[in-house]
Amino acid sequence: MNTTPADLMEKLRGPVLPGATIGIFGGGQLGRMMGIAARSMGYKVHVLDPDPACPAGYIADKVIEASWNDRWAAANLARESSTVTLEIEQVSITSLDEASRWAPMRPGAAMLAVIQDRVEQKDWLHKHGFPIGPYRSVRSPEQLAEAVKVLDGPVFVKSARGGYDGRGQAKLGFGGAVVDDAALRQAWQDVGATDCVAERALELAKEISVMVARAPNGEVKVYPPAENFHENQILSWSVIPANISDELMEKAQAVASEIADTFGLEGLLAVEMFLTTDGQLLVNELAPRPHNSYHGSERACTTGQFEQAIRTACNLPLGDVSLVQPTAIANLLGDVWLDDEGKEKQPAFDKALAVPGVRLTLYEKLKPRKGRKMGHLSAVGATADEARERVLAAKAAL
């Protein structure tokens, strides 16, 4: 099917109604859950992913096996779709631009170009006056040494591109460790010997995130903040709503909404934030897609993040995000399937599901590995504390 400029303009203006095809860059667990939401609303789903056995492939009408920088495959995805969205930031800007020639690309390439690069992202936040912690852009080992000296304290070093769940990161100066030439060389190698950002470690009271949905017509919905807890730099559990004051909740929502408006967001944006022990609220990172910390929104809010992602991509009225009930989630990593010798075992899901209010979501990933996200548990409760206690009890029962 060939798309003309007039056809594209019509797609950009009007809603994409059920029965149409939605294209998704990325077939991981987020793409899978977006696809399930789309199918429940009556849409067809096409996915582009380098892995033909990706989790979304089990629910998609079509999987295009291609790399993130394959502009021809990106064009084919968009030509066959009425609108295109994504579940991963690593798609090349060339591919996103090519897709936007054939169908609305939500969110767009201009926003992704900023968010894909941590240096560009930090600089953008600083330029637009959003609150962030002390940092330095680093493009050489010499600049890294200077950054550590200027930041004057323990420092996280993060690669500018790629890297997540602790990958592509290094620590310097923690626990009183001496930052000598050998430590600097090792940190530079750990982040791939490439452009990176050095961030001063902060004294944290909490980590929270705020999800914003913004439709092409400018309608905005801001979810209640989620409170997050990480282990080894991977999200361990998250609970909605966060245990923070109403004043802080409103401030966090306002900051996230302003970032979305400044970008001209069309889609979802998760804004990760730090609450420091001295009361500062600082932006950490941005994710222009559904987010691990909002898996609980499916049960906590009137409209979950995955249905909302489909609504934004299709230029439909946004769903209500009011809190229905406190909900907590706990990530299930591949470690749960492995014994002490690394051999596969069957988790005791029956025991986990015996805990009141608990549900299980698995992503149909074929091979468990340490640190790999294989699924999550969710639990509801009368309070956020009860929901968290239930989900952690269920995880322990595995």
Side-chain angles (χ1 to χ4, degrees), residues 24-26 48 50 67-70 74 77 84-97 99 105 109 112-113 116 161:
I24 302 175
F25 280 108
L48 185 150
S67 69
W68 304 130
N69 59 5
D70 188 333
L77 176 71
V84 181
T85 187
L86 53 80
E87 62 115 45
I88 187 168
E89 295 97 312
Q90 309 311 322
V91 184
S92 73
I93 300 302
T94 300
S95 291
L96 297 176
D97 280 336
M105 183 67 236
L112 266 293
Q116 282 181 354
R161 290 184 169 270

Side-chain angles (χ1 to χ4, degrees), residues 213 219 221 223 302-303 307-308 311 316-322:
E219 183 185 7
K221 296 286 185 182
Y223 282 82
T302 306
T303 307
E307 178 183 333
Q308 200 77 287
R311 288 180 180 239
L316 296 172
L318 298 186
D320 181 16
V321 296
S322 299

Side-chain angles (χ1 to χ4, degrees), residues 237-241 243 325-329 355-358 378-394:
W237 57 260
S238 182
V239 61
I240 302 172
N243 182 20
Q325 57 189 348
T327 303
I329 67 105
V355 178
V358 169
S378 64
V380 298
T383 65
D385 285 343
E386 182 179 54
R388 183 183 65 250
E389 289 167 3
R390 284 178 170 180
V391 84
L392 293 180

Side-chain angles (χ1 to χ4, degrees), residues 37-60:
R39 292 191 71 101
S40 71
M41 296 172 70
Y43 292 96
K44 299 180 182 66
V45 176
H46 289 188
V47 169
L48 185 150
D49 194 277
D51 180 7
C54 60
Y58 297 102
I59 59 90

